C-alpha cells in the first residue's frame, strides 16, 4: 500500500555534505510523521530526526546543528540535509513513516536504507 525508497547516500570526506531523499508512494491519504534512523556497524539502529504533520522537528543530540530534516508534501518526500559530516555518522540510513492510507493507518513503514560512508 505504501512504499519508501531512500536515495542520496554515498562516500564523502569528513566535513562534507550529503542530502538524503525518501520518496513515499502508494495509497497515501495523509502523513502523520516521517523520520530518519541510522544503524552504524556494530550498533543498534537509532533515531536521527523526525518531522510531524505540523512541521515540528526533533533531532538526536549527536546531529543537532548539523542535520536538517524537511519535507515536500506535494511529492510525499522527506529530506535529510547532512552538513559537517563526521566519520561517526557512517551507517545505513533508513526512512520511516506513519501514514494514513486508503482503508488503514500504517504506523510503521520502512525503506530499505541508503549507505552513508564518511572517511577521515
Amino acid at each position: 500500500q505504501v512504499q519508501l525508497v531512500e536515495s542520496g547516500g554515498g562516500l564523502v570526506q569528513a566535513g562534507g555534505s550529503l542530502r538524503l531523499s525518501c520518496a513515499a508512494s502508494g495509497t497515501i491519504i495523509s502523513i502523520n510523521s516521517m523520520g530518519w534512523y541510522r544503524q552504524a556497524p556494530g550498533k543498534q539502529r537509532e533515531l536521527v530526526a523526525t518531522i510531524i504533520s505540523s512541521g515540528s522537528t526533533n533531532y538526536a543530540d549527536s546531529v543537532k546543528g548539523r542535520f536538517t530534516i524537511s519535507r515536500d508534501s506535494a511529492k510525499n518526500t522527506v529530506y535529510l540535509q547532512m552538513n559537517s559530516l563526521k566519520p561517526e555518522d557512517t551507517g545505513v540510513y533508513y526512512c520511516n513513516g506513519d501514514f494514513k492510507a486508503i482503508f488503514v493507518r500504517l504506523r510503521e513503514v520502512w525503506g530499505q536504507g541508503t549507505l552513508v560512508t564518511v572517511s577521515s
Side-chain angles (χ1 to χ4, degrees), residues 7-24:
S7 62
L11 174 64
V12 298
Q13 295 181 352
S17 298
L18 284 173
R19 190 178 77 155
L20 306 183
S21 298
C22 174

Side-chain angles (χ1 to χ4, degrees), residues 2 4 30 32-35 37 96-101 104-110:
V2 178
L4 302 176
S30 63
N32 184 52
S33 66
M34 293 185 72
Y37 292 71
N96 169 269
D98 179 353
F99 303 93
K100 182 179 180 181
V104 69
R105 180 176 177 177
L106 303 173
R107 293 181 179 271
E108 193 169 303
V109 180
W110 291 90

Side-chain angles (χ1 to χ4, degrees), residues 46-74:
E46 64 177 350
L47 176 68
V48 176
T50 59
I51 184 166
I52 62 176
S53 59
S54 67
S56 296
T57 58
N58 285 287
Y59 298 92
D61 289 342
S62 60
V63 306
K64 285 181 179 177
R66 299 189 297 120
F67 291 10
T68 302
I69 188 170
S70 61
R71 67 186 179 191
D72 184 335
S73 297

